[in-house]
Amino acid sequence: MARRWSKRRMLLPLAVLAGVIAFLPTQLGGHAGYVRTWGISMEPMFHAGDLGVIRAARGYNVGDVVAYRNDLGIIVLHRIIGIDGDRFVFKGDNNHFLDEDHPRSDRLIGRLWFRIPKGGRALAWLQQPLHLSALIGALAGAGGASRTLGSRRRAGEDRTSAKTRGRGRNG
């Protein structure tokens, strides 16, 4: 017998797919970038260990918090405080000085989309091979367990429905 899909069952995979597309890293063909913060230059907005989720923009304006690659190849997440010709002037919110680099738009990675407090710490934890493999194993085990429970539940429902079908209305 064909299994009917409820609206709920159909919406969940679509919501998961939309989330994966929205948060897929640029390295995997997505549109989101992730920047872990290390210092105090963006306090009080950012603290060490926070995670900034960034997305490329068509244009950048004064006041935007933007990630860019500096002359040493380090990714910096600071605020644009000025535009000088084709170069952007950056400063950390907690700094009393301007950034030395004044990059052109080709070195800008993306504008801050949102911040996840302490998310950089969680990301660093996941980047350790032992932790990542343990998480994958736990997710695989949870998926197998839910599949087993679901098939048991369906088997139980089939037996119950077979019993009630034979009884009729008053049975």
Side-chain angles (χ1 to χ4, degrees):
M1 172 202 268
R3 196 164 141 195
R4 288 189 347 208
W5 283 80
S6 68
K7 286 182 184 177
R8 256 185 162 167
R9 276 200 152 150
M10 289 172 50
L11 288 178
L12 181 62
L14 290 175
V16 169
L17 180 63
V20 167
I21 291 170
F23 296 104
L24 191 66
T26 53
Q27 297 90 333
L28 299 176
H31 299 287
Y34 298 89
V35 178
R36 284 189 296 177
T37 55
W38 299 99
I40 61 169
S41 66
M42 284 300 289
E43 286 186 356
M45 181 181 193
F46 275 91
H47 300 280
D50 287 352
L51 184 70
V53 181
I54 58 172
R55 296 189 84 164
R58 290 187 180 171
Y60 298 93
N61 302 304
V62 171
D64 290 344
V65 174
V66 174
Y68 72 92
R69 192 170 302 278
N70 72 11
D71 289 336
L72 301 174
I74 297 169
I75 295 174
V76 178
L77 183 70
H78 280 171
R79 188 175 306 278
I80 296 174
I81 63 155
I83 300 173
D84 184 12
D86 64 345
R87 295 186 174 268
F88 293 87
V89 181
F90 285 90
K91 178 182 170 294
D93 290 353
N94 196 36
N95 289 347
H96 300 290
F97 53 89
L98 301 177
D99 292 5
E100 286 184 29
D101 291 323
H102 295 183
R104 290 187 171 102
S105 60
D106 62 338
R107 291 202 355 235
L108 305 185
I109 300 169
R111 179 186 304 131
L112 179 66
W113 188 20
F114 62 92
R115 167 186 160 263
I116 302 173
K118 297 184 177 141
R121 292 179 185 173
L123 185 63
W125 185 86
L126 278 175
Q127 287 177 330
Q128 296 180 22
L130 181 63
H131 296 157
L132 183 59
S133 59
L135 177 66
I136 290 170
L139 290 173
S146 69
R147 192 175 228 161
T148 302
L149 287 174
S151 63
R152 284 183 187 166
R153 222 177 269 130
R154 281 191 300 279
E157 288 170 3
D158 291 340
R159 271 188 261 123
T160 305
S161 59
K163 287 178 187 176
T164 55
R165 270 186 291 207
R167 290 187 189 164
R169 281 186 178 213
N170 299 329

